[in-house]
Structure formats: structure tokens, C-alpha cells
């Protein structure tokens, strides 16, 4: 049973609406605003959680504001666009004794993946938005891998294709190969890691994630550490300018 909690929602896009529908059954939503409305004018009295569901570039400043006001934050991934800023937020959260949880919805599909010597990650779907594959798709796959495998370093990277709506690349880490293939121009949906499909699942992973966060049945430290590791690796990959 979740004690009645009070929420602020910042962001009401497609993803935000899904979160709002779930939170309506789990507590009291005090206010919902979009990214164009000043979140600094919102009443922060007795607020338990702020849900940051805005565009990626705004996550840092909004999360920082609520953490400075000692309010817990659930943030849609990524927490920030780089490792350095994410580390600052998590250090601030620790100092102010608040909690940050970065969305990792794919973990709540309860799929068991095994890391092999050669790992193939494939994702394809038809999407009008062809941009930002690294943060929209690769980010999910990377935290899934990190949840099962500690990547100490990346010592090889090869980009094979980075055309519009496509991204194919590979890296070697800890003597294991990781091959990623993304295509946003295909009608037939696929999302697999080593033949394990993430499109078929029995529960509602979004609802399960949010409920576990509110009940504090998640490992916040592990979530934060993996969010940091993910951004650290992405920082390195972004240097290849794709």
C-alpha cells in the first residue's frame, strides 16, 4: 500500500500523459505544467516527488531546482546530457538528503539477458522523428547491459552507418564485442538483445517502476550509479560525432 503522496508534474507530452494516468491512482497530483510554464512559481509545500518529464536538455536545471528545494525527483532518462552535470546533481542530492530516480523502464520488463563474447543488439521501428538515437534508444540498451555486466573501458569503436534514421556501430569492452543496429525506417518492430525480445512482456513496466520507486523498493544507489556509467560511456561515444 502506498501512503497518499503529493506530486508535481513538469511536462505533459506523450510520455508525460502516460505517467500522469498512473500517478492519478497513486496519490495527489498538485499541479501539472508544460515546459513553457515557470516551474519556479509552483508551490513546493509538502510535495513528496517532482516528476521531470520534459525534453532532455531541460532535465539538469529543473532537477537541480527541486533538489535544491529538498524535493525528491523522478527524472525521465537521461538525467543530463553529460556525465559531469549528472555527477553534480547526484552529489547535490546526497548533500540535501533527497532521492533521484532516473527512469529505467526496460529493467521492469523482467527479461534475463546473458552477456556473451559477441553481443548483438537490434532495434527497429517506423518513427517520424529520426534524430537523437543515442539518447532515445541506445541509452536503454546500455543500462540494460550495465545492469548485467560491468564495463570497465571501451577500447574499440567502429561506426558503420550513421545515415538519417539509422545508426550501426560496435565497441569492444572487457574482451567482449557489442554490436548495435538501430533503424527508424522499418515498419516491423524489433527490439532484441542476444535474441531476447523486449517487445513481449506480461506486466505494465511503467506502472511497476513508478510504484516501486514510490514504495522505495528500488535500489536508488544502483540506479544512480548506472545512470552515471551510462552517461560516461555516451560521452566517449559522442566524441565520434554521431
Amino acid at each position: 500500500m502506498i501512503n497518499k503522496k503529493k506530486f508535481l508534474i513538469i511536462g505533459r507530452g506523450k510520455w508525460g500523459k502516460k505517467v500522469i494516468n498512473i500517478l492519478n491512482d497513486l496519490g495527489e497530483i498538485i499541479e501539472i505544467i508544460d515546459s513553457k510554464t515557470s516551474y519556479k512559481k509552483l508551490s513546493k509545500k509538502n510535495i513528496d516527488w517532482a516528476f521531470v518529464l520534459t525534453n532532455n536538455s531541460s532535465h539538469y536545471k529543473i532537477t537541480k531546482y527541486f533538489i535544491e528545494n529538498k524535493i525528491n525527483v523522478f527524472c525521465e532518462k537521461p538525467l543530463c546530457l553529460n556525465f559531469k552535470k549528472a555527477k553534480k546533481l547526484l552529489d547535490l542530492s546526497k548533500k540535501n538528503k533527497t532521492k533521484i530516480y532516473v527512469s529505467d523502464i526496460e529493467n521492469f520488463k523482467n527479461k534475463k539477458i546473458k552477456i556473451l563474447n559477441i553481443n548483438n543488439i537490434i532495434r527497429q521501428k517506423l518513427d517520424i522523428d529520426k534524430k537523437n538515437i543515442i539518447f532515445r534508444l541506445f541509452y536503454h540498451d546500455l543500462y540494460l547491459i550495465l545492469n548485467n555486466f560491468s564495463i570497465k573501458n571501451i577500447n574499440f569503436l567502429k561506426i558503420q552507418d550513421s545515415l538519417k534514421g539509422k545508426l550501426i556501430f560496435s565497441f569492444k569492452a572487457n574482451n567482449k564485442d557489442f554490436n548495435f543496429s538501430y533503424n527508424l525506417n522499418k515498419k516491423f518492430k524489433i527490439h532484441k538483445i542476444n535474441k531476447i525480445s523486449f517487445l513481449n512482456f506480461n506486466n505494465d513496466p511503467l506502472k511497476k517502476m513508478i510504484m516501486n520507486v514510490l514504495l522505495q523498493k528500488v535500489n536508488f544507489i544502483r540506479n544512480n550509479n548506472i545512470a552515471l556509467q551510462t552517461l560516461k560511456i555516451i560521452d566517449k561515444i559522442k566524441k565520434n560525432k554521431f
Side-chain angles (χ1 to χ4, degrees), residues 42-239:
L42 297 174
S43 172
K44 296 171 285 297
K45 187 177 180 180
N46 299 321
I47 296 298
D48 297 294
W49 284 88
F51 280 74
V52 179
L53 311 170
T54 53
N55 61 76
N56 293 350
S57 61
S58 66
H59 289 180
Y60 175 77
K61 63 180 180 180
I62 298 175
T63 300
K64 183 174 182 287
Y65 174 79
F66 285 107
I67 292 300
E68 286 175 337
N69 284 276
K70 299 187 177 181
I71 295 174
N72 300 319
V73 173
F74 175 98
C75 186
E76 168 54 4
K77 59 82 185 164
L79 178 58
C80 301
L81 294 178
N82 61 67
F83 172 86
K84 188 176 180 180
K85 283 189 173 182
K87 183 70 166 55
K88 285 182 180 179
L89 283 181
L90 293 174
D91 287 345
L92 179 62
S93 178
K94 185 176 181 180
K95 178 182 177 182
N96 286 358
K97 297 181 179 180
T98 60
K99 295 187 182 300
I100 290 178
Y101 195 86
V102 185
S103 175
D104 57 350
I105 187 172
E106 297 293 335
N107 281 329
F108 290 86
K109 292 180 180 179
N110 297 328
K111 300 288 185 175
K112 293 182 179 180
I113 60 174
K114 184 178 180 181
I115 302 302
L116 309 174
N117 288 327
I118 299 176
N119 302 274
N120 296 305
I121 298 89
I122 302 171
R123 192 161 187 177
Q124 67 177 44
K125 62 179 180 176
L126 187 62
D127 199 323
I128 296 174
D129 185 357
K130 312 292 185 185
K131 300 178 181 179
N132 215 1
I133 292 176
I134 285 289
F135 281 116
R136 289 176 55 210
L137 304 181
F138 171 68
Y139 184 100
H140 286 295
D141 294 324
L142 186 52
Y143 71 64
L144 284 166
I145 291 169
L146 288 169
N147 202 41
N148 293 273
F149 179 68
S150 177
I151 296 179
K152 295 179 181 178
N153 54 40
I154 297 177
N155 51 29
F156 176 76
L157 176 65
K158 182 180 180 182
I159 306 169
Q160 295 175 309
D161 193 349
S162 57
L163 297 175
K164 186 175 181 180
K166 291 179 68 178
L167 180 59
I168 301 172
F169 69 100
S170 59
F171 63 68
K172 185 182 287 289
N174 306 21
N175 295 318
K176 297 185 184 296
D177 293 315
F178 294 86
N179 305 309
F180 299 86
S181 177
Y182 299 101
N183 193 330
L184 297 179
N185 303 306
K186 298 285 187 179
K187 290 184 178 180
F188 185 70
K189 282 187 176 182
I190 297 176
H191 183 198
K192 291 183 178 181
I193 297 180
N194 294 336
K195 297 184 179 180
I196 300 297
S197 176
F198 282 80
L199 295 181
N200 303 312
F201 44 89
N202 297 321
N203 61 334
D204 181 343
L206 178 59
K207 185 174 183 178
K208 186 175 182 180
M209 174 178 61
I210 291 173
M211 286 186 67
N212 276 273
V213 170
L214 297 180
L215 289 169
Q216 298 193 26
K217 288 186 175 182
V218 295
N219 188 329
F220 288 94
I221 294 175
R222 181 171 175 78
N223 170 267
N224 293 174
N225 286 339
I226 288 180
L228 279 178
Q229 291 174 52
T230 301
L231 286 173
K232 193 171 187 177
I233 292 171
I234 287 177
D235 279 354
K236 186 170 185 178
I237 291 174
K238 281 165 60 180
K239 290 179 180 178

Side-chain angles (χ1 to χ4, degrees), residues 16-32:
K17 290 175 183 176
K18 292 180 180 180
V19 174
I20 290 166
N21 288 337
I22 292 171
L23 290 178
N24 275 325
D25 296 328
L26 300 178
E28 182 181 0
I29 298 176
I30 302 303
E31 192 148 8
I32 303 170

